[in-house]
Coordinates of all heavy atoms in Angstrom, one line a residue:
M1 N 19.3 -14.4 11.6 CA 18.1 -14.9 11.0 C 18.3 -15.1 9.5 O 18.8 -14.2 8.9 CB 17.0 -13.8 11.3 CG 15.6 -14.4 11.2 SD 14.3 -13.2 11.6 CE 14.8 -12.4 13.1
K2 N 17.8 -16.2 9.0 CA 18.0 -16.6 7.6 C 16.9 -16.1 6.7 O 16.8 -16.6 5.6 CB 18.3 -18.0 7.5 CG 19.6 -18.5 8.1 CD 19.9 -19.9 7.8 CE 21.2 -20.3 8.4 NZ 21.7 -21.6 8.0
Y3 N 15.9 -15.4 7.2 CA 14.8 -15.0 6.4 C 14.5 -13.5 6.8 O 14.9 -13.0 7.9 CB 13.6 -15.9 6.6 CG 13.1 -16.0 8.0 CD1 12.0 -15.1 8.4 CD2 13.6 -16.9 8.9 CE1 11.5 -15.2 9.7 CE2 13.1 -17.0 10.2 CZ 12.1 -16.1 10.6 OH 11.6 -16.2 11.9
N4 N 13.7 -12.8 6.0 CA 13.3 -11.5 6.3 C 11.8 -11.4 6.7 O 11.0 -11.5 5.8 CB 13.6 -10.6 5.0 CG 13.3 -9.1 5.3 OD1 12.5 -8.8 6.2 ND2 13.8 -8.3 4.4
P5 N 11.5 -11.4 8.0 CA 10.1 -11.4 8.3 C 9.3 -10.3 7.8 O 8.1 -10.4 7.5 CB 10.1 -11.4 9.9 CG 11.5 -10.9 10.3 CD 12.4 -11.2 9.1
L6 N 9.9 -9.1 7.6 CA 9.2 -7.9 7.1 C 8.8 -8.2 5.6 O 7.6 -8.0 5.2 CB 10.0 -6.7 7.1 CG 10.4 -6.2 8.5 CD1 11.3 -4.9 8.4 CD2 9.1 -5.9 9.4
A7 N 9.7 -8.8 4.8 CA 9.3 -9.1 3.5 C 8.3 -10.2 3.4 O 7.4 -10.2 2.6 CB 10.6 -9.5 2.7
L8 N 8.4 -11.3 4.2 CA 7.5 -12.4 4.3 C 6.1 -11.8 4.7 O 5.1 -12.2 4.1 CB 8.0 -13.5 5.2 CG 9.2 -14.2 4.7 CD1 9.6 -15.2 5.8 CD2 8.8 -15.0 3.5
F9 N 6.0 -11.0 5.7 CA 4.8 -10.5 6.2 C 4.1 -9.7 5.0 O 2.9 -9.8 4.8 CB 4.9 -9.6 7.4 CG 3.6 -9.1 7.9 CD1 2.9 -9.8 8.9 CD2 3.1 -7.8 7.5 CE1 1.7 -9.3 9.3 CE2 1.9 -7.4 8.0 CZ 1.2 -8.1 8.9
G10 N 4.9 -8.8 4.4 CA 4.5 -8.0 3.3 C 3.9 -8.8 2.1 O 2.8 -8.5 1.6
A11 N 4.6 -9.8 1.8 CA 4.1 -10.7 0.7 C 2.8 -11.4 1.1 O 1.9 -11.5 0.2 CB 5.2 -11.7 0.3
H12 N 2.7 -11.8 2.3 CA 1.5 -12.5 2.8 C 0.4 -11.5 2.8 O -0.8 -11.8 2.4 CB 1.8 -13.1 4.2 CG 0.6 -13.9 4.6 ND1 0.2 -15.0 4.0 CD2 -0.1 -13.8 5.8 CE1 -0.9 -15.5 4.7 NE2 -1.0 -14.9 5.8
L13 N 0.6 -10.3 3.3 CA -0.5 -9.3 3.3 C -0.9 -9.0 1.9 O -2.1 -8.9 1.6 CB 0.1 -8.0 3.9 CG -0.9 -6.7 3.9 CD1 -2.2 -7.0 4.6 CD2 -0.2 -5.5 4.5
S14 N 0.0 -8.8 1.0 CA -0.4 -8.6 -0.4 C -1.2 -9.7 -1.0 O -2.2 -9.5 -1.7 CB 0.9 -8.4 -1.3 OG 0.6 -8.2 -2.6
A15 N -0.8 -10.9 -0.7 CA -1.6 -12.1 -1.2 C -3.0 -12.1 -0.6 O -4.0 -12.4 -1.3 CB -0.9 -13.4 -0.9
L16 N -3.2 -11.8 0.7 CA -4.4 -11.8 1.3 C -5.3 -10.7 0.7 O -6.5 -10.9 0.5 CB -4.3 -11.6 2.9 CG -3.8 -12.7 3.7 CD1 -3.5 -12.3 5.1 CD2 -4.7 -13.9 3.6
R17 N -4.7 -9.5 0.5 CA -5.4 -8.4 -0.1 C -5.9 -8.8 -1.5 O -7.1 -8.5 -1.9 CB -4.5 -7.2 -0.1 CG -5.1 -6.0 -0.8 CD -4.1 -4.8 -0.9 NE -2.9 -5.0 -1.5 CZ -2.7 -5.1 -2.9 NH1 -3.7 -4.9 -3.7 NH2 -1.5 -5.3 -3.3
K18 N -5.0 -9.3 -2.3 CA -5.4 -9.7 -3.7 C -6.5 -10.7 -3.7 O -7.3 -10.7 -4.7 CB -4.2 -10.1 -4.4 CG -3.3 -8.9 -4.7 CD -1.9 -9.3 -5.4 CE -1.0 -8.0 -5.6 NZ 0.3 -8.4 -6.1
E19 N -6.5 -11.7 -2.8 CA -7.5 -12.7 -2.7 C -8.9 -12.1 -2.6 O -9.9 -12.7 -3.0 CB -7.3 -13.7 -1.6 CG -6.2 -14.6 -1.8 CD -5.9 -15.5 -0.5 OE1 -6.6 -15.4 0.5 OE2 -4.9 -16.3 -0.5
R20 N -8.9 -10.9 -2.0 CA -10.2 -10.2 -1.7 C -10.4 -9.1 -2.8 O -11.3 -8.4 -2.6 CB -10.1 -9.6 -0.3 CG -10.3 -10.7 0.7 CD -9.6 -10.4 2.0 NE -9.8 -11.5 3.0 CZ -9.0 -12.6 3.0 NH1 -8.0 -12.7 2.1 NH2 -9.2 -13.5 3.9
S21 N -9.6 -9.1 -3.8 CA -9.7 -8.2 -4.9 C -9.7 -6.7 -4.5 O -10.5 -5.9 -4.9 CB -11.0 -8.5 -5.7 OG -11.0 -9.8 -6.3
L22 N -8.9 -6.4 -3.5 CA -8.7 -5.1 -3.0 C -7.4 -4.5 -3.5 O -6.4 -5.1 -3.6 CB -8.6 -5.1 -1.5 CG -9.9 -5.4 -0.7 CD1 -9.6 -5.5 0.8 CD2 -11.0 -4.3 -0.9
S23 N -7.5 -3.2 -3.9 CA -6.3 -2.5 -4.2 C -5.7 -2.0 -2.9 O -6.3 -2.0 -1.8 CB -6.6 -1.2 -5.1 OG -7.4 -0.3 -4.3
Q24 N -4.4 -1.6 -3.0 CA -3.8 -1.0 -1.7 C -4.6 0.2 -1.3 O -4.8 0.3 0.0 CB -2.4 -0.6 -2.0 CG -1.4 -1.7 -2.1 CD 0.1 -1.3 -2.4 OE1 0.3 -0.1 -2.7 NE2 1.0 -2.1 -2.2
E25 N -5.1 1.0 -2.2 CA -5.8 2.2 -1.8 C -7.1 1.8 -1.1 O -7.5 2.4 -0.1 CB -6.1 3.0 -3.1 CG -6.8 4.3 -2.7 CD -7.0 5.2 -3.9 OE1 -6.5 4.8 -5.0 OE2 -7.4 6.3 -3.7
N26 N -7.8 0.8 -1.6 CA -9.1 0.3 -1.0 C -8.8 -0.2 0.4 O -9.5 0.0 1.4 CB -9.8 -0.6 -1.8 CG -10.5 0.0 -2.9 OD1 -10.9 1.2 -2.9 ND2 -10.8 -0.7 -4.0
L27 N -7.7 -1.0 0.6 CA -7.4 -1.6 1.9 C -7.0 -0.5 2.8 O -7.5 -0.4 4.0 CB -6.2 -2.5 1.8 CG -5.7 -3.1 3.1 CD1 -6.8 -3.9 3.8 CD2 -4.5 -4.0 2.8
A28 N -6.3 0.5 2.3 CA -6.0 1.7 3.2 C -7.2 2.4 3.6 O -7.3 2.8 4.8 CB -5.0 2.6 2.4
L29 N -8.1 2.7 2.7 CA -9.3 3.4 3.0 C -10.2 2.7 4.0 O -10.7 3.3 5.0 CB -10.1 3.7 1.8 CG -9.6 4.8 0.8 CD1 -10.4 4.8 -0.5 CD2 -9.6 6.2 1.5
Q30 N -10.3 1.4 3.8 CA -11.2 0.6 4.7 C -10.6 0.4 6.1 O -11.3 0.3 7.1 CB -11.4 -0.8 4.1 CG -12.4 -0.7 2.9 CD -12.7 -2.0 2.3 OE1 -12.6 -3.1 3.0 NE2 -13.0 -2.1 1.0
S31 N -9.2 0.4 6.1 CA -8.5 0.1 7.4 C -8.2 1.4 8.2 O -8.0 1.4 9.4 CB -7.2 -0.6 7.2 OG -6.3 0.2 6.5
G32 N -8.3 2.6 7.5 CA -7.9 3.8 8.1 C -6.4 4.1 8.1 O -6.0 5.1 8.7
L33 N -5.7 3.2 7.4 CA -4.2 3.4 7.3 C -3.9 4.2 6.1 O -4.6 4.2 5.1 CB -3.5 2.1 7.4 CG -3.8 1.2 8.6 CD1 -3.2 -0.2 8.5 CD2 -3.1 1.9 9.9
A34 N -2.7 4.8 6.0 CA -2.3 5.5 4.8 C -1.9 4.5 3.8 O -1.3 3.5 4.0 CB -1.1 6.4 5.1
R35 N -2.2 4.8 2.5 CA -1.8 4.0 1.4 C -0.3 3.8 1.3 O 0.1 2.7 1.0 CB -2.4 4.5 0.0 CG -2.3 3.5 -1.1 CD -2.0 4.1 -2.4 NE -1.0 5.1 -2.5 CZ 0.4 4.8 -2.7 NH1 0.7 3.5 -2.6 NH2 1.2 5.7 -2.7
S36 N 0.4 4.9 1.6 CA 1.9 4.8 1.5 C 2.4 3.8 2.6 O 3.4 3.1 2.4 CB 2.5 6.1 1.6 OG 2.2 6.8 2.9
Y37 N 1.7 3.8 3.8 CA 2.1 2.9 4.8 C 1.8 1.4 4.4 O 2.7 0.6 4.5 CB 1.3 3.2 6.1 CG 1.6 2.2 7.2 CD1 2.8 2.3 8.0 CD2 0.7 1.2 7.5 CE1 3.0 1.5 9.0 CE2 1.0 0.3 8.6 CZ 2.1 0.5 9.3 OH 2.4 -0.4 10.3
V38 N 0.6 1.2 3.9 CA 0.3 -0.2 3.4 C 1.3 -0.6 2.3 O 1.8 -1.7 2.3 CB -1.2 -0.2 2.8 CG1 -1.5 -1.6 2.2 CG2 -2.2 0.0 4.0
S39 N 1.6 0.3 1.4 CA 2.6 -0.1 0.4 C 4.0 -0.4 1.0 O 4.6 -1.4 0.6 CB 2.8 1.2 -0.6 OG 3.8 0.9 -1.5
G40 N 4.4 0.4 2.0 CA 5.7 0.1 2.6 C 5.7 -1.2 3.4 O 6.7 -1.9 3.3
V41 N 4.6 -1.5 4.0 CA 4.4 -2.8 4.7 C 4.5 -4.0 3.6 O 5.3 -4.9 3.8 CB 3.2 -2.9 5.5 CG1 2.9 -4.3 6.0 CG2 3.2 -1.9 6.6
E42 N 3.8 -3.8 2.6 CA 3.8 -4.9 1.6 C 5.2 -5.1 0.9 O 5.5 -6.2 0.5 CB 2.7 -4.6 0.5 CG 1.3 -4.9 1.0 CD 0.3 -4.9 -0.1 OE1 0.6 -4.7 -1.3 OE2 -0.9 -5.1 0.2
R43 N 5.9 -4.0 0.8 CA 7.3 -4.1 0.2 C 8.3 -4.5 1.2 O 9.5 -4.7 0.9 CB 7.6 -2.8 -0.4 CG 6.9 -2.4 -1.7 CD 7.3 -1.1 -2.3 NE 6.9 0.0 -1.5 CZ 7.7 0.9 -0.9 NH1 9.0 0.9 -1.1 NH2 7.2 1.8 -0.2
G44 N 7.9 -4.7 2.5 CA 8.9 -5.1 3.5 C 9.7 -4.0 4.0 O 10.8 -4.3 4.6
K45 N 9.3 -2.8 3.8 CA 10.1 -1.6 4.2 C 9.6 -1.0 5.6 O 10.3 -0.2 6.1 CB 10.0 -0.5 3.1 CG 10.5 -1.0 1.8 CD 11.9 -1.4 1.8 CE 12.4 -1.8 0.4 NZ 13.7 -2.4 0.4
R46 N 8.4 -1.4 6.0 CA 7.9 -0.9 7.3 C 7.8 -2.0 8.3 O 7.4 -3.1 8.0 CB 6.5 -0.2 7.0 CG 6.5 0.9 6.1 CD 7.1 2.1 6.5 NE 6.7 2.6 7.8 CZ 6.0 3.7 8.0 NH1 5.5 4.4 7.0 NH2 5.6 4.1 9.2
N47 N 8.1 -1.7 9.6 CA 7.9 -2.6 10.6 C 6.5 -2.4 11.2 O 6.3 -1.4 12.0 CB 9.0 -2.4 11.7 CG 9.1 -3.5 12.7 OD1 8.3 -4.5 12.6 ND2 10.0 -3.4 13.6
V48 N 5.7 -3.3 10.9 CA 4.2 -3.1 11.3 C 4.0 -3.4 12.8 O 4.6 -4.3 13.3 CB 3.3 -4.0 10.4 CG1 3.6 -5.4 10.5 CG2 1.9 -3.7 10.6
S49 N 3.2 -2.6 13.4 CA 2.9 -2.8 14.9 C 1.8 -3.8 15.1 O 1.0 -4.1 14.2 CB 2.5 -1.4 15.5 OG 1.2 -1.1 15.0
L50 N 1.8 -4.3 16.3 CA 0.7 -5.3 16.6 C -0.7 -4.6 16.4 O -1.6 -5.3 15.9 CB 0.9 -5.8 18.0 CG -0.2 -6.7 18.6 CD1 -0.2 -7.9 17.8 CD2 0.1 -7.0 20.1
M51 N -0.8 -3.4 16.8 CA -2.1 -2.7 16.6 C -2.5 -2.7 15.1 O -3.6 -3.0 14.8 CB -2.0 -1.3 17.2 CG -3.4 -0.6 17.1 SD -4.6 -1.5 18.2 CE -4.6 -0.5 19.6
N52 N -1.5 -2.4 14.3 CA -1.9 -2.4 12.8 C -2.1 -3.7 12.2 O -2.9 -3.9 11.3 CB -0.8 -1.6 12.1 CG -0.9 -0.1 12.4 OD1 -1.9 0.4 12.8 ND2 0.2 0.7 12.1
I53 N -1.4 -4.7 12.8 CA -1.7 -6.1 12.3 C -3.1 -6.4 12.7 O -3.8 -7.0 11.8 CB -0.7 -7.1 13.0 CG1 0.7 -6.9 12.5 CG2 -1.2 -8.5 12.9 CD1 1.8 -7.7 13.3
C54 N -3.6 -6.1 13.8 CA -5.0 -6.3 14.2 C -6.0 -5.5 13.3 O -7.0 -6.1 12.9 CB -5.2 -6.0 15.7 SG -4.3 -7.2 16.8
V55 N -5.6 -4.3 13.0 CA -6.5 -3.5 12.2 C -6.6 -4.1 10.7 O -7.6 -4.2 10.2 CB -5.9 -2.1 12.1 CG1 -6.6 -1.2 11.0 CG2 -6.1 -1.3 13.4
L56 N -5.4 -4.5 10.2 CA -5.4 -5.1 8.9 C -6.2 -6.5 8.9 O -7.0 -6.7 8.0 CB -4.0 -5.3 8.4 CG -3.2 -4.0 8.0 CD1 -1.7 -4.3 8.0 CD2 -3.8 -3.4 6.7
A57 N -6.0 -7.3 10.0 CA -6.7 -8.5 10.1 C -8.2 -8.3 10.1 O -9.0 -9.0 9.4 CB -6.3 -9.3 11.3
H58 N -8.7 -7.3 10.9 CA -10.1 -7.0 11.0 C -10.6 -6.6 9.6 O -11.7 -7.0 9.2 CB -10.3 -5.9 12.0 CG -11.7 -5.5 12.1 ND1 -12.7 -6.2 12.8 CD2 -12.4 -4.4 11.6 CE1 -13.8 -5.6 12.7 NE2 -13.7 -4.5 12.0
T59 N -9.9 -5.7 8.9 CA -10.3 -5.2 7.6 C -10.4 -6.4 6.6 O -11.3 -6.4 5.8 CB -9.3 -4.2 7.1 OG1 -9.2 -3.1 8.1 CG2 -9.8 -3.6 5.8
L60 N -9.4 -7.3 6.7 CA -9.4 -8.4 5.7 C -10.2 -9.6 6.2 O -10.3 -10.6 5.5 CB -7.9 -8.9 5.5 CG -7.0 -7.9 4.8 CD1 -5.5 -8.4 4.9 CD2 -7.4 -7.7 3.4
E61 N -10.8 -9.4 7.4 CA -11.8 -10.5 7.9 C -11.1 -11.8 8.1 O -11.5 -12.9 7.8 CB -13.0 -10.6 7.1 CG -13.9 -9.4 7.0 CD -15.1 -9.5 6.2 OE1 -15.2 -10.4 5.3 OE2 -16.0 -8.6 6.4
V62 N -9.9 -11.7 8.7 CA -9.1 -12.9 9.2 C -8.7 -12.7 10.6 O -8.7 -11.6 11.1 CB -7.9 -13.1 8.3 CG1 -8.2 -13.4 6.8 CG2 -6.9 -12.0 8.4
D63 N -8.3 -13.8 11.3 CA -7.8 -13.7 12.6 C -6.5 -13.1 12.6 O -5.7 -13.3 11.6 CB -7.7 -15.1 13.2 CG -9.0 -15.8 13.5 OD1 -9.9 -15.1 13.8 OD2 -9.0 -17.0 13.5
P64 N -6.1 -12.3 13.6 CA -4.8 -11.7 13.6 C -3.7 -12.8 13.5 O -2.6 -12.5 12.8 CB -4.7 -11.0 15.0 CG -6.1 -10.7 15.3 CD -6.9 -11.9 14.7
S65 N -3.9 -13.9 14.0 CA -2.8 -15.0 13.9 C -2.6 -15.3 12.4 O -1.5 -15.7 12.0 CB -3.2 -16.2 14.7 OG -4.4 -16.8 14.1
E66 N -3.6 -15.2 11.6 CA -3.4 -15.5 10.1 C -2.4 -14.5 9.5 O -1.7 -14.9 8.5 CB -4.8 -15.5 9.4 CG -4.7 -15.6 7.9 CD -4.0 -16.9 7.4 OE1 -4.0 -18.0 8.1 OE2 -3.3 -16.9 6.4
M67 N -2.4 -13.3 10.0 CA -1.5 -12.4 9.4 C 0.0 -12.8 9.6 O 0.8 -12.4 8.8 CB -1.7 -11.0 10.1 CG -3.1 -10.4 9.9 SD -3.6 -10.2 8.2 CE -2.5 -8.9 7.7
L68 N 0.3 -13.6 10.7 CA 1.6 -14.0 11.0 C 1.9 -15.3 10.4 O 3.0 -15.9 10.6 CB 1.8 -14.0 12.4 CG 1.7 -12.6 13.1 CD1 1.9 -12.7 14.6 CD2 2.8 -11.7 12.5
N69 N 1.0 -15.9 9.6 CA 1.1 -17.2 9.0 C 1.8 -17.0 7.7 O 1.2 -17.5 6.7 CB -0.2 -18.0 8.9 CG -0.1 -19.4 8.5 OD1 1.0 -20.0 8.6 ND2 -1.1 -19.9 8.0
F70 N 2.9 -16.4 7.7 CA 3.6 -16.1 6.4 C 4.6 -17.1 5.9 O 5.2 -16.9 4.9 CB 4.2 -14.7 6.4 CG 5.1 -14.4 7.6 CD1 6.3 -15.0 7.7 CD2 4.6 -13.5 8.6 CE1 7.2 -14.7 8.8 CE2 5.5 -13.2 9.7 CZ 6.7 -13.8 9.8
F71 N 4.6 -18.3 6.5 CA 5.5 -19.3 6.0 C 4.7 -20.3 5.1 O 5.2 -21.2 4.5 CB 6.1 -20.1 7.1 CG 7.2 -19.4 7.8 CD1 7.2 -18.9 9.0 CD2 8.4 -19.2 7.1 CE1 8.2 -18.2 9.6 CE2 9.4 -18.4 7.6 CZ 9.3 -18.0 8.9
A72 N 3.4 -20.0 4.9 CA 2.6 -20.8 3.9 C 3.2 -20.5 2.5 O 3.3 -19.3 2.1 CB 1.1 -20.4 4.0
P73 N 3.5 -21.5 1.8 CA 4.2 -21.3 0.5 C 3.4 -20.7 -0.6 O 2.3 -21.3 -0.9 CB 4.8 -22.7 0.1 CG 3.9 -23.6 0.8 CD 3.4 -23.0 2.1
T74 N 3.8 -19.7 -1.1 CA 3.3 -19.1 -2.5 C 4.6 -18.7 -3.2 O 5.6 -18.6 -2.6 CB 2.4 -17.9 -2.3 OG1 3.2 -16.8 -1.8 CG2 1.2 -18.2 -1.4
S75 N 4.5 -18.6 -4.5 CA 5.7 -18.3 -5.3 C 6.3 -17.0 -4.8 O 7.5 -16.9 -4.7 CB 5.3 -18.3 -6.8 OG 4.3 -17.3 -7.0
R76 N 5.5 -16.0 -4.6 CA 6.0 -14.7 -4.2 C 6.6 -14.7 -2.9 O 7.7 -14.1 -2.6 CB 4.9 -13.6 -4.3 CG 5.4 -12.2 -4.0 CD 4.4 -11.2 -4.2 NE 4.9 -9.9 -3.8 CZ 4.2 -8.8 -3.7 NH1 3.0 -8.8 -3.9 NH2 4.8 -7.7 -3.3
E77 N 6.0 -15.4 -1.9 CA 6.5 -15.5 -0.5 C 7.8 -16.3 -0.5 O 8.7 -16.0 0.2 CB 5.5 -16.1 0.4 CG 4.3 -15.2 0.7 CD 3.2 -15.9 1.5 OE1 3.4 -17.0 1.9 OE2 2.2 -15.2 1.7
H78 N 7.9 -17.3 -1.4 CA 9.1 -18.1 -1.4 C 10.3 -17.3 -1.9 O 11.4 -17.4 -1.4 CB 8.9 -19.3 -2.4 CG 10.1 -20.2 -2.5 ND1 10.5 -21.0 -1.4 CD2 10.9 -20.4 -3.5 CE1 11.6 -21.6 -1.8 NE2 11.9 -21.3 -3.0
K79 N 10.0 -16.4 -2.8 CA 11.1 -15.5 -3.3 C 11.5 -14.5 -2.2 O 12.7 -14.2 -2.2 CB 10.6 -14.7 -4.6 CG 10.4 -15.6 -5.8 CD 9.9 -14.7 -7.0 CE 9.6 -15.6 -8.1 NZ 9.0 -14.9 -9.2
A80 N 10.6 -14.1 -1.4 CA 10.9 -13.1 -0.3 C 11.8 -13.7 0.7 O 12.5 -13.0 1.4 CB 9.6 -12.6 0.3
R81 N 11.8 -15.1 0.9 CA 12.6 -15.7 1.9 C 14.1 -15.7 1.5 O 14.9 -15.7 2.4 CB 12.2 -17.2 2.0 CG 11.0 -17.4 2.8 CD 10.9 -18.9 3.1 NE 9.6 -19.1 3.6 CZ 9.2 -20.3 3.9 NH1 9.9 -21.4 3.8 NH2 7.9 -20.5 4.4
K82 N 14.3 -15.6 0.2 CA 15.8 -15.6 -0.2 C 16.5 -14.3 0.0 O 16.0 -13.3 0.1 CB 15.8 -16.1 -1.7 CG 15.3 -17.5 -1.9 CD 15.4 -17.9 -3.3 CE 14.9 -19.3 -3.4 NZ 15.0 -19.8 -4.8

């Protein structure tokens, strides 16, 4: 594989979170996930489960499929591909 899906997913999650003006702590509190877990996912260090993808999507008020739409270009996501 020529890309890192964990890093791309994490960058996309971070962008979605920031679009909603949420801190990692607020996203964690609203989703019921640990802040350290959210941080690890955003840094591409954690392999997020389908259940947690759905929880994060619900919290961010997007479809779960949007969470996997991490090939949409942003400067940060583009860097994560390399």
Side-chain angles (χ1 to χ4, degrees):
M1 199 175 318
K2 294 185 178 190
Y3 61 93
N4 182 343
L6 296 178
L8 290 172
F9 182 89
H12 187 57
L13 173 60
S14 178
L16 290 171
R17 174 181 60 77
K18 289 174 182 176
E19 284 175 6
R20 288 151 182 80
S21 300
L22 289 173
S23 66
Q24 284 181 347
E25 186 173 2
N26 284 335
L27 177 59
L29 287 170
Q30 290 180 26
S31 67
L33 300 171
R35 193 212 48 83
S36 61
Y37 177 79
V38 172
S39 173
V41 171
E42 286 191 1
R43 289 180 292 119
K45 303 298 181 189
R46 300 292 306 255
N47 192 1
V48 62
S49 71
L50 177 59
M51 186 61 103
N52 287 341
I53 290 171
C54 292
V55 167
L56 289 165
H58 178 78
T59 304
L60 294 170
E61 298 179 339
V62 297
D63 289 332
S65 63
E66 174 58 30
M67 301 299 295
L68 298 175
N69 188 19
F70 48 74
F71 284 112
T74 69
S75 59
R76 184 172 177 193
E77 290 174 4
H78 181 69
K79 290 177 187 175
R81 281 191 194 179
K82 294 182 179 181

